[in-house]
Amino acid sequence: MALGSNVMVITGRPGVGKTTLVNSILKILLAKSVAIALSAPTGRAPKRLFESTGIEAKTIHRLLETDARTGAFRRNEEAPLACDLLVVDETSMVDVPLMRALLRALPEEAALLLVGDVDQLPSVGPGQVLADIIASGAVPVVRLTEVFRQAAESRIIVNAHRINQGLMPDLARVESGDFYFVDAADAEEGVRKLLGIVARANLQALRARSDT
């Protein structure tokens, strides 16, 4: 479907293989000498994309070449991106103005692949682009649902899926692994305890840094 669609969405929760699937698609297209541009809205995501695909990835702002003086983008309809396929990771974090600017810079003959977890929090800016595109029914959408073995070892991922399904987190093994449960009587107490946990973690990190 990805190879035959001009626009397509791949969505799914953590651990279902979105990155693995995209990597496989890109390998096929690279073998066919397709010019690919990889982007994501935040700074960490492009680094992860590069590590998994071996292809340079940029933040959307860097890809669109933001003018530091005006804040405008140099890439637009008159100066489109040089790519046959644009892949946008973490699309749930992209707001309407940024997506509009990105689509304006997309060459008419280029394809668009949007990747992201529709269950994540929406973008800080206006709109819920990924959710609305999926709900529109106007483009093909692939939903990955199976959590694979390596991801299933993470209690965070397992319990995130349970919460999304309306189930209580599995608290049976909270002392082993990467998931912890902190009891709080109300939201205010929860905030106090969370701040305490972060403060202690920062203090431990500072002490470890000073020891080295």
mmCIF file with all atom_site columns, all heavy atoms in Angstrom, residues 11-39:
data_model
loop_
_atom_site.group_PDB
_atom_site.id
_atom_site.type_symbol
_atom_site.label_atom_id
_atom_site.label_alt_id
_atom_site.label_comp_id
_atom_site.label_asym_id
_atom_site.label_entity_id
_atom_site.label_seq_id
_atom_site.pdbx_PDB_ins_code
_atom_site.Cartn_x
_atom_site.Cartn_y
_atom_site.Cartn_z
_atom_site.occupancy
_atom_site.B_iso_or_equiv
_atom_site.pdbx_formal_charge
_atom_site.auth_seq_id
_atom_site.auth_comp_id
_atom_site.auth_asym_id
_atom_site.auth_atom_id
_atom_site.pdbx_PDB_model_num
ATOM 1   N N   . THR A 1 11 ? -0.001 4.299  11.709 1.00 0.00 ? 11 THR A N   1
ATOM 2   C CA  . THR A 1 11 ? -0.195 4.686  13.102 1.00 0.00 ? 11 THR A CA  1
ATOM 3   C C   . THR A 1 11 ? -0.204 3.449  13.989 1.00 0.00 ? 11 THR A C   1
ATOM 4   O O   . THR A 1 11 ? -0.429 2.324  13.532 1.00 0.00 ? 11 THR A O   1
ATOM 5   C CB  . THR A 1 11 ? -1.509 5.481  13.277 1.00 0.00 ? 11 THR A CB  1
ATOM 6   O OG1 . THR A 1 11 ? -1.582 5.988  14.620 1.00 0.00 ? 11 THR A OG1 1
ATOM 7   C CG2 . THR A 1 11 ? -2.736 4.626  13.005 1.00 0.00 ? 11 THR A CG2 1
ATOM 8   N N   . GLY A 1 12 ? 0.047  3.654  15.250 1.00 0.00 ? 12 GLY A N   1
ATOM 9   C CA  . GLY A 1 12 ? 0.069  2.554  16.210 1.00 0.00 ? 12 GLY A CA  1
ATOM 10  C C   . GLY A 1 12 ? 0.736  3.018  17.486 1.00 0.00 ? 12 GLY A C   1
ATOM 11  O O   . GLY A 1 12 ? 1.474  4.002  17.510 1.00 0.00 ? 12 GLY A O   1
ATOM 12  N N   . ARG A 1 13 ? 0.474  2.287  18.549 1.00 0.00 ? 13 ARG A N   1
ATOM 13  C CA  . ARG A 1 13 ? 1.028  2.633  19.853 1.00 0.00 ? 13 ARG A CA  1
ATOM 14  C C   . ARG A 1 13 ? 2.482  2.187  19.946 1.00 0.00 ? 13 ARG A C   1
ATOM 15  O O   . ARG A 1 13 ? 2.993  1.543  19.033 1.00 0.00 ? 13 ARG A O   1
ATOM 16  C CB  . ARG A 1 13 ? 0.169  1.978  20.944 1.00 0.00 ? 13 ARG A CB  1
ATOM 17  C CG  . ARG A 1 13 ? -1.250 2.544  20.980 1.00 0.00 ? 13 ARG A CG  1
ATOM 18  C CD  . ARG A 1 13 ? -2.202 1.653  21.742 1.00 0.00 ? 13 ARG A CD  1
ATOM 19  N NE  . ARG A 1 13 ? -3.569 2.163  21.681 1.00 0.00 ? 13 ARG A NE  1
ATOM 20  C CZ  . ARG A 1 13 ? -4.643 1.449  22.009 1.00 0.00 ? 13 ARG A CZ  1
ATOM 21  N NH1 . ARG A 1 13 ? -4.516 0.213  22.420 1.00 0.00 ? 13 ARG A NH1 1
ATOM 22  N NH2 . ARG A 1 13 ? -5.841 1.985  21.926 1.00 0.00 ? 13 ARG A NH2 1
ATOM 23  N N   . PRO A 1 14 ? 3.169  2.516  21.027 1.00 0.00 ? 14 PRO A N   1
ATOM 24  C CA  . PRO A 1 14 ? 4.581  2.137  21.149 1.00 0.00 ? 14 PRO A CA  1
ATOM 25  C C   . PRO A 1 14 ? 4.785  0.629  21.043 1.00 0.00 ? 14 PRO A C   1
ATOM 26  O O   . PRO A 1 14 ? 3.985  -0.162 21.543 1.00 0.00 ? 14 PRO A O   1
ATOM 27  C CB  . PRO A 1 14 ? 4.957  2.643  22.558 1.00 0.00 ? 14 PRO A CB  1
ATOM 28  C CG  . PRO A 1 14 ? 3.993  3.743  22.841 1.00 0.00 ? 14 PRO A CG  1
ATOM 29  C CD  . PRO A 1 14 ? 2.716  3.337  22.182 1.00 0.00 ? 14 PRO A CD  1
ATOM 30  N N   . GLY A 1 15 ? 5.865  0.236  20.383 1.00 0.00 ? 15 GLY A N   1
ATOM 31  C CA  . GLY A 1 15 ? 6.257  -1.168 20.343 1.00 0.00 ? 15 GLY A CA  1
ATOM 32  C C   . GLY A 1 15 ? 5.591  -2.009 19.285 1.00 0.00 ? 15 GLY A C   1
ATOM 33  O O   . GLY A 1 15 ? 5.779  -3.231 19.256 1.00 0.00 ? 15 GLY A O   1
ATOM 34  N N   . VAL A 1 16 ? 4.817  -1.401 18.384 1.00 0.00 ? 16 VAL A N   1
ATOM 35  C CA  . VAL A 1 16 ? 4.094  -2.202 17.373 1.00 0.00 ? 16 VAL A CA  1
ATOM 36  C C   . VAL A 1 16 ? 4.858  -2.311 16.066 1.00 0.00 ? 16 VAL A C   1
ATOM 37  O O   . VAL A 1 16 ? 4.398  -2.999 15.144 1.00 0.00 ? 16 VAL A O   1
ATOM 38  C CB  . VAL A 1 16 ? 2.684  -1.622 17.114 1.00 0.00 ? 16 VAL A CB  1
ATOM 39  C CG1 . VAL A 1 16 ? 1.825  -1.739 18.360 1.00 0.00 ? 16 VAL A CG1 1
ATOM 40  C CG2 . VAL A 1 16 ? 2.762  -0.172 16.637 1.00 0.00 ? 16 VAL A CG2 1
ATOM 41  N N   . GLY A 1 17 ? 5.992  -1.641 15.943 1.00 0.00 ? 17 GLY A N   1
ATOM 42  C CA  . GLY A 1 17 ? 6.829  -1.820 14.760 1.00 0.00 ? 17 GLY A CA  1
ATOM 43  C C   . GLY A 1 17 ? 6.716  -0.740 13.704 1.00 0.00 ? 17 GLY A C   1
ATOM 44  O O   . GLY A 1 17 ? 7.033  -0.994 12.535 1.00 0.00 ? 17 GLY A O   1
ATOM 45  N N   . LYS A 1 18 ? 6.284  0.468  14.083 1.00 0.00 ? 18 LYS A N   1
ATOM 46  C CA  . LYS A 1 18 ? 6.167  1.551  13.097 1.00 0.00 ? 18 LYS A CA  1
ATOM 47  C C   . LYS A 1 18 ? 7.523  1.840  12.449 1.00 0.00 ? 18 LYS A C   1
ATOM 48  O O   . LYS A 1 18 ? 7.640  1.934  11.225 1.00 0.00 ? 18 LYS A O   1
ATOM 49  C CB  . LYS A 1 18 ? 5.615  2.823  13.748 1.00 0.00 ? 18 LYS A CB  1
ATOM 50  C CG  . LYS A 1 18 ? 4.207  2.708  14.282 1.00 0.00 ? 18 LYS A CG  1
ATOM 51  C CD  . LYS A 1 18 ? 3.656  4.046  14.729 1.00 0.00 ? 18 LYS A CD  1
ATOM 52  C CE  . LYS A 1 18 ? 4.402  4.668  15.895 1.00 0.00 ? 18 LYS A CE  1
ATOM 53  N NZ  . LYS A 1 18 ? 4.324  3.862  17.133 1.00 0.00 ? 18 LYS A NZ  1
ATOM 54  N N   . THR A 1 19 ? 8.557  1.983  13.278 1.00 0.00 ? 19 THR A N   1
ATOM 55  C CA  . THR A 1 19 ? 9.882  2.314  12.762 1.00 0.00 ? 19 THR A CA  1
ATOM 56  C C   . THR A 1 19 ? 10.424 1.191  11.896 1.00 0.00 ? 19 THR A C   1
ATOM 57  O O   . THR A 1 19 ? 11.023 1.435  10.838 1.00 0.00 ? 19 THR A O   1
ATOM 58  C CB  . THR A 1 19 ? 10.850 2.598  13.924 1.00 0.00 ? 19 THR A CB  1
ATOM 59  O OG1 . THR A 1 19 ? 10.343 3.691  14.698 1.00 0.00 ? 19 THR A OG1 1
ATOM 60  C CG2 . THR A 1 19 ? 12.233 2.953  13.410 1.00 0.00 ? 19 THR A CG2 1
ATOM 61  N N   . THR A 1 20 ? 10.227 -0.048 12.311 1.00 0.00 ? 20 THR A N   1
ATOM 62  C CA  . THR A 1 20 ? 10.696 -1.199 11.529 1.00 0.00 ? 20 THR A CA  1
ATOM 63  C C   . THR A 1 20 ? 10.022 -1.241 10.169 1.00 0.00 ? 20 THR A C   1
ATOM 64  O O   . THR A 1 20 ? 10.664 -1.485 9.140  1.00 0.00 ? 20 THR A O   1
ATOM 65  C CB  . THR A 1 20 ? 10.420 -2.505 12.295 1.00 0.00 ? 20 THR A CB  1
ATOM 66  O OG1 . THR A 1 20 ? 11.085 -2.465 13.558 1.00 0.00 ? 20 THR A OG1 1
ATOM 67  C CG2 . THR A 1 20 ? 10.900 -3.709 11.510 1.00 0.00 ? 20 THR A CG2 1
ATOM 68  N N   . LEU A 1 21 ? 8.727  -0.993 10.142 1.00 0.00 ? 21 LEU A N   1
ATOM 69  C CA  . LEU A 1 21 ? 7.984  -1.005 8.885  1.00 0.00 ? 21 LEU A CA  1
ATOM 70  C C   . LEU A 1 21 ? 8.459  0.114  7.958  1.00 0.00 ? 21 LEU A C   1
ATOM 71  O O   . LEU A 1 21 ? 8.696  -0.102 6.765  1.00 0.00 ? 21 LEU A O   1
ATOM 72  C CB  . LEU A 1 21 ? 6.485  -0.867 9.155  1.00 0.00 ? 21 LEU A CB  1
ATOM 73  C CG  . LEU A 1 21 ? 5.571  -0.837 7.927  1.00 0.00 ? 21 LEU A CG  1
ATOM 74  C CD1 . LEU A 1 21 ? 5.774  -2.072 7.074  1.00 0.00 ? 21 LEU A CD1 1
ATOM 75  C CD2 . LEU A 1 21 ? 4.112  -0.700 8.342  1.00 0.00 ? 21 LEU A CD2 1
ATOM 76  N N   . VAL A 1 22 ? 8.597  1.313  8.506  1.00 0.00 ? 22 VAL A N   1
ATOM 77  C CA  . VAL A 1 22 ? 9.061  2.445  7.697  1.00 0.00 ? 22 VAL A CA  1
ATOM 78  C C   . VAL A 1 22 ? 10.457 2.169  7.152  1.00 0.00 ? 22 VAL A C   1
ATOM 79  O O   . VAL A 1 22 ? 10.750 2.445  5.982  1.00 0.00 ? 22 VAL A O   1
ATOM 80  C CB  . VAL A 1 22 ? 9.057  3.741  8.535  1.00 0.00 ? 22 VAL A CB  1
ATOM 81  C CG1 . VAL A 1 22 ? 9.781  4.868  7.796  1.00 0.00 ? 22 VAL A CG1 1
ATOM 82  C CG2 . VAL A 1 22 ? 7.631  4.162  8.850  1.00 0.00 ? 22 VAL A CG2 1
ATOM 83  N N   . ASN A 1 23 ? 11.319 1.596  7.963  1.00 0.00 ? 23 ASN A N   1
ATOM 84  C CA  . ASN A 1 23 ? 12.677 1.277  7.524  1.00 0.00 ? 23 ASN A CA  1
ATOM 85  C C   . ASN A 1 23 ? 12.653 0.312  6.340  1.00 0.00 ? 23 ASN A C   1
ATOM 86  O O   . ASN A 1 23 ? 13.412 0.472  5.377  1.00 0.00 ? 23 ASN A O   1
ATOM 87  C CB  . ASN A 1 23 ? 13.461 0.663  8.687  1.00 0.00 ? 23 ASN A CB  1
ATOM 88  C CG  . ASN A 1 23 ? 14.961 0.739  8.468  1.00 0.00 ? 23 ASN A CG  1
ATOM 89  O OD1 . ASN A 1 23 ? 15.437 1.396  7.553  1.00 0.00 ? 23 ASN A OD1 1
ATOM 90  N ND2 . ASN A 1 23 ? 15.712 0.046  9.304  1.00 0.00 ? 23 ASN A ND2 1
ATOM 91  N N   . SER A 1 24 ? 11.780 -0.674 6.380  1.00 0.00 ? 24 SER A N   1
ATOM 92  C CA  . SER A 1 24 ? 11.669 -1.635 5.280  1.00 0.00 ? 24 SER A CA  1
ATOM 93  C C   . SER A 1 24 ? 11.187 -0.952 4.002  1.00 0.00 ? 24 SER A C   1
ATOM 94  O O   . SER A 1 24 ? 11.693 -1.221 2.903  1.00 0.00 ? 24 SER A O   1
ATOM 95  C CB  . SER A 1 24 ? 10.709 -2.767 5.663  1.00 0.00 ? 24 SER A CB  1
ATOM 96  O OG  . SER A 1 24 ? 11.182 -3.469 6.792  1.00 0.00 ? 24 SER A OG  1
ATOM 97  N N   . ILE A 1 25 ? 10.195 -0.070 4.139  1.00 0.00 ? 25 ILE A N   1
ATOM 98  C CA  . ILE A 1 25 ? 9.686  0.673  2.984  1.00 0.00 ? 25 ILE A CA  1
ATOM 99  C C   . ILE A 1 25 ? 10.796 1.518  2.365  1.00 0.00 ? 25 ILE A C   1
ATOM 100 O O   . ILE A 1 25 ? 10.968 1.558  1.133  1.00 0.00 ? 25 ILE A O   1
ATOM 101 C CB  . ILE A 1 25 ? 8.496  1.561  3.400  1.00 0.00 ? 25 ILE A CB  1
ATOM 102 C CG1 . ILE A 1 25 ? 7.308  0.693  3.811  1.00 0.00 ? 25 ILE A CG1 1
ATOM 103 C CG2 . ILE A 1 25 ? 8.099  2.508  2.270  1.00 0.00 ? 25 ILE A CG2 1
ATOM 104 C CD1 . ILE A 1 25 ? 6.191  1.466  4.481  1.00 0.00 ? 25 ILE A CD1 1
ATOM 105 N N   . LEU A 1 26 ? 11.569 2.187  3.217  1.00 0.00 ? 26 LEU A N   1
ATOM 106 C CA  . LEU A 1 26 ? 12.632 3.060  2.716  1.00 0.00 ? 26 LEU A CA  1
ATOM 107 C C   . LEU A 1 26 ? 13.711 2.262  1.994  1.00 0.00 ? 26 LEU A C   1
ATOM 108 O O   . LEU A 1 26 ? 14.270 2.729  0.989  1.00 0.00 ? 26 LEU A O   1
ATOM 109 C CB  . LEU A 1 26 ? 13.239 3.857  3.863  1.00 0.00 ? 26 LEU A CB  1
ATOM 110 C CG  . LEU A 1 26 ? 12.304 4.845  4.568  1.00 0.00 ? 26 LEU A CG  1
ATOM 111 C CD1 . LEU A 1 26 ? 13.059 5.619  5.634  1.00 0.00 ? 26 LEU A CD1 1
ATOM 112 C CD2 . LEU A 1 26 ? 11.673 5.801  3.574  1.00 0.00 ? 26 LEU A CD2 1
ATOM 113 N N   . LYS A 1 27 ? 14.031 1.079  2.484  1.00 0.00 ? 27 LYS A N   1
ATOM 114 C CA  . LYS A 1 27 ? 15.042 0.247  1.818  1.00 0.00 ? 27 LYS A CA  1
ATOM 115 C C   . LYS A 1 27 ? 14.606 -0.113 0.402  1.00 0.00 ? 27 LYS A C   1
ATOM 116 O O   . LYS A 1 27 ? 15.411 -0.114 -0.536 1.00 0.00 ? 27 LYS A O   1
ATOM 117 C CB  . LYS A 1 27 ? 15.308 -1.017 2.642  1.00 0.00 ? 27 LYS A CB  1
ATOM 118 C CG  . LYS A 1 27 ? 16.136 -0.767 3.894  1.00 0.00 ? 27 LYS A CG  1
ATOM 119 C CD  . LYS A 1 27 ? 16.390 -2.053 4.646  1.00 0.00 ? 27 LYS A CD  1
ATOM 120 C CE  . LYS A 1 27 ? 17.253 -1.789 5.886  1.00 0.00 ? 27 LYS A CE  1
ATOM 121 N NZ  . LYS A 1 27 ? 17.481 -3.030 6.669  1.00 0.00 ? 27 LYS A NZ  1
ATOM 122 N N   . ILE A 1 28 ? 13.321 -0.431 0.248  1.00 0.00 ? 28 ILE A N   1
ATOM 123 C CA  . ILE A 1 28 ? 12.799 -0.750 -1.084 1.00 0.00 ? 28 ILE A CA  1
ATOM 124 C C   . ILE A 1 28 ? 12.917 0.459  -2.007 1.00 0.00 ? 28 ILE A C   1
ATOM 125 O O   . ILE A 1 28 ? 13.360 0.354  -3.155 1.00 0.00 ? 28 ILE A O   1
ATOM 126 C CB  . ILE A 1 28 ? 11.329 -1.209 -0.985 1.00 0.00 ? 28 ILE A CB  1
ATOM 127 C CG1 . ILE A 1 28 ? 11.234 -2.523 -0.215 1.00 0.00 ? 28 ILE A CG1 1
ATOM 128 C CG2 . ILE A 1 28 ? 10.714 -1.356 -2.375 1.00 0.00 ? 28 ILE A CG2 1
ATOM 129 C CD1 . ILE A 1 28 ? 9.808  -2.934 0.109  1.00 0.00 ? 28 ILE A CD1 1
ATOM 130 N N   . LEU A 1 29 ? 12.523 1.624  -1.495 1.00 0.00 ? 29 LEU A N   1
ATOM 131 C CA  . LEU A 1 29 ? 12.522 2.830  -2.320 1.00 0.00 ? 29 LEU A CA  1
ATOM 132 C C   . LEU A 1 29 ? 13.932 3.305  -2.633 1.00 0.00 ? 29 LEU A C   1
ATOM 133 O O   . LEU A 1 29 ? 14.193 3.808  -3.731 1.00 0.00 ? 29 LEU A O   1
ATOM 134 C CB  . LEU A 1 29 ? 11.727 3.926  -1.614 1.00 0.00 ? 29 LEU A CB  1
ATOM 135 C CG  . LEU A 1 29 ? 10.227 3.629  -1.458 1.00 0.00 ? 29 LEU A CG  1
ATOM 136 C CD1 . LEU A 1 29 ? 9.553  4.707  -0.625 1.00 0.00 ? 29 LEU A CD1 1
ATOM 137 C CD2 . LEU A 1 29 ? 9.557  3.521  -2.822 1.00 0.00 ? 29 LEU A CD2 1
ATOM 138 N N   . LEU A 1 30 ? 14.859 3.162  -1.690 1.00 0.00 ? 30 LEU A N   1
ATOM 139 C CA  . LEU A 1 30 ? 16.241 3.542  -1.950 1.00 0.00 ? 30 LEU A CA  1
ATOM 140 C C   . LEU A 1 30 ? 16.847 2.676  -3.051 1.00 0.00 ? 30 LEU A C   1
ATOM 141 O O   . LEU A 1 30 ? 17.642 3.151  -3.865 1.00 0.00 ? 30 LEU A O   1
ATOM 142 C CB  . LEU A 1 30 ? 17.073 3.428  -0.671 1.00 0.00 ? 30 LEU A CB  1
ATOM 143 C CG  . LEU A 1 30 ? 16.853 4.524  0.373  1.00 0.00 ? 30 LEU A CG  1
ATOM 144 C CD1 . LEU A 1 30 ? 17.587 4.195  1.655  1.00 0.00 ? 30 LEU A CD1 1
ATOM 145 C CD2 . LEU A 1 30 ? 17.293 5.883  -0.157 1.00 0.00 ? 30 LEU A CD2 1
ATOM 146 N N   . ALA A 1 31 ? 16.464 1.398  -3.071 1.00 0.00 ? 31 ALA A N   1
ATOM 147 C CA  . ALA A 1 31 ? 16.947 0.498  -4.127 1.00 0.00 ? 31 ALA A CA  1
ATOM 148 C C   . ALA A 1 31 ? 16.443 0.938  -5.495 1.00 0.00 ? 31 ALA A C   1
ATOM 149 O O   . ALA A 1 31 ? 17.041 0.611  -6.524 1.00 0.00 ? 31 ALA A O   1
ATOM 150 C CB  . ALA A 1 31 ? 16.507 -0.931 -3.832 1.00 0.00 ? 31 ALA A CB  1
ATOM 151 N N   . LYS A 1 32 ? 15.322 1.683  -5.502 1.00 0.00 ? 32 LYS A N   1
ATOM 152 C CA  . LYS A 1 32 ? 14.764 2.205  -6.752 1.00 0.00 ? 32 LYS A CA  1
ATOM 153 C C   . LYS A 1 32 ? 15.195 3.645  -7.015 1.00 0.00 ? 32 LYS A C   1
ATOM 154 O O   . LYS A 1 32 ? 14.627 4.320  -7.868 1.00 0.00 ? 32 LYS A O   1
ATOM 155 C CB  . LYS A 1 32 ? 13.235 2.113  -6.699 1.00 0.00 ? 32 LYS A CB  1
ATOM 156 C CG  . LYS A 1 32 ? 12.698 0.687  -6.593 1.00 0.00 ? 32 LYS A CG  1
ATOM 157 C CD  . LYS A 1 32 ? 11.191 0.674  -6.511 1.00 0.00 ? 32 LYS A CD  1
ATOM 158 C CE  . LYS A 1 32 ? 10.654 -0.753 -6.468 1.00 0.00 ? 32 LYS A CE  1
ATOM 159 N NZ  . LYS A 1 32 ? 10.868 -1.458 -7.742 1.00 0.00 ? 32 LYS A NZ  1
ATOM 160 N N   . SER A 1 33 ? 16.191 4.120  -6.249 1.00 0.00 ? 33 SER A N   1
ATOM 161 C CA  . SER A 1 33 ? 16.762 5.465  -6.419 1.00 0.00 ? 33 SER A CA  1
ATOM 162 C C   . SER A 1 33 ? 15.735 6.569  -6.213 1.00 0.00 ? 33 SER A C   1
ATOM 163 O O   . SER A 1 33 ? 15.763 7.604  -6.892 1.00 0.00 ? 33 SER A O   1
ATOM 164 C CB  . SER A 1 33 ? 17.415 5.595  -7.807 1.00 0.00 ? 33 SER A CB  1
ATOM 165 O OG  . SER A 1 33 ? 18.441 4.640  -7.966 1.00 0.00 ? 33 SER A OG  1
ATOM 166 N N   . VAL A 1 34 ? 14.812 6.368  -5.273 1.00 0.00 ? 34 VAL A N   1
ATOM 167 C CA  . VAL A 1 34 ? 13.825 7.393  -4.930 1.00 0.00 ? 34 VAL A CA  1
ATOM 168 C C   . VAL A 1 34 ? 14.470 8.389  -3.967 1.00 0.00 ? 34 VAL A C   1
ATOM 169 O O   . VAL A 1 34 ? 15.120 8.000  -2.998 1.00 0.00 ? 34 VAL A O   1
ATOM 170 C CB  . VAL A 1 34 ? 12.576 6.755  -4.286 1.00 0.00 ? 34 VAL A CB  1
ATOM 171 C CG1 . VAL A 1 34 ? 11.623 7.825  -3.771 1.00 0.00 ? 34 VAL A CG1 1
ATOM 172 C CG2 . VAL A 1 34 ? 11.866 5.857  -5.287 1.00 0.00 ? 34 VAL A CG2 1
ATOM 173 N N   . ALA A 1 35 ? 14.293 9.674  -4.239 1.00 0.00 ? 35 ALA A N   1
ATOM 174 C CA  . ALA A 1 35 ? 14.833 10.719 -3.359 1.00 0.00 ? 35 ALA A CA  1
ATOM 175 C C   . ALA A 1 35 ? 13.911 10.872 -2.161 1.00 0.00 ? 35 ALA A C   1
ATOM 176 O O   . ALA A 1 35 ? 12.728 11.190 -2.308 1.00 0.00 ? 35 ALA A O   1
ATOM 177 C CB  . ALA A 1 35 ? 14.946 12.038 -4.112 1.00 0.00 ? 35 ALA A CB  1
ATOM 178 N N   . ILE A 1 36 ? 14.447 10.650 -0.951 1.00 0.00 ? 36 ILE A N   1
ATOM 179 C CA  . ILE A 1 36 ? 13.644 10.607 0.270  1.00 0.00 ? 36 ILE A CA  1
ATOM 180 C C   . ILE A 1 36 ? 14.070 11.724 1.224  1.00 0.00 ? 36 ILE A C   1
ATOM 181 O O   . ILE A 1 36 ? 15.254 11.971 1.419  1.00 0.00 ? 36 ILE A O   1
ATOM 182 C CB  . ILE A 1 36 ? 13.794 9.245  0.977  1.00 0.00 ? 36 ILE A CB  1
ATOM 183 C CG1 . ILE A 1 36 ? 13.301 8.125  0.062  1.00 0.00 ? 36 ILE A CG1 1
ATOM 184 C CG2 . ILE A 1 36 ? 13.038 9.228  2.302  1.00 0.00 ? 36 ILE A CG2 1
ATOM 185 C CD1 . ILE A 1 36 ? 13.639 6.739  0.564  1.00 0.00 ? 36 ILE A CD1 1
ATOM 186 N N   . ALA A 1 37 ? 13.080 12.392 1.816  1.00 0.00 ? 37 ALA A N   1
ATOM 187 C CA  . ALA A 1 37 ? 13.333 13.379 2.863  1.00 0.00 ? 37 ALA A CA  1
ATOM 188 C C   . ALA A 1 37 ? 12.654 12.900 4.139  1.00 0.00 ? 37 ALA A C   1
ATOM 189 O O   . ALA A 1 37 ? 11.464 12.569 4.127  1.00 0.00 ? 37 ALA A O   1
ATOM 190 C CB  . ALA A 1 37 ? 12.793 14.749 2.461  1.00 0.00 ? 37 ALA A CB  1
ATOM 191 N N   . LEU A 1 38 ? 13.411 12.835 5.224  1.00 0.00 ? 38 LEU A N   1
ATOM 192 C CA  . LEU A 1 38 ? 12.878 12.406 6.512  1.00 0.00 ? 38 LEU A CA  1
ATOM 193 C C   . LEU A 1 38 ? 12.805 13.601 7.447  1.00 0.00 ? 38 LEU A C   1
ATOM 194 O O   . LEU A 1 38 ? 13.759 14.380 7.541  1.00 0.00 ? 38 LEU A O   1
ATOM 195 C CB  . LEU A 1 38 ? 13.761 11.334 7.155  1.00 0.00 ? 38 LEU A CB  1
ATOM 196 C CG  . LEU A 1 38 ? 13.992 10.030 6.391  1.00 0.00 ? 38 LEU A CG  1
ATOM 197 C CD1 . LEU A 1 38 ? 14.791 9.066  7.246  1.00 0.00 ? 38 LEU A CD1 1
ATOM 198 C CD2 . LEU A 1 38 ? 12.682 9.405  5.976  1.00 0.00 ? 38 LEU A CD2 1
ATOM 199 N N   . SER A 1 39 ? 11.691 13.732 8.169  1.00 0.00 ? 39 SER A N   1
ATOM 200 C CA  . SER A 1 39 ? 11.552 14.865 9.077  1.00 0.00 ? 39 SER A CA  1
ATOM 201 C C   . SER A 1 39 ? 10.694 14.490 10.271 1.00 0.00 ? 39 SER A C   1
ATOM 202 O O   . SER A 1 39 ? 9.975  13.488 10.254 1.00 0.00 ? 39 SER A O   1
ATOM 203 C CB  . SER A 1 39 ? 10.927 16.067 8.351  1.00 0.00 ? 39 SER A CB  1
ATOM 204 O OG  . SER A 1 39 ? 9.597  15.770 7.988  1.00 0.00 ? 39 SER A OG  1
#
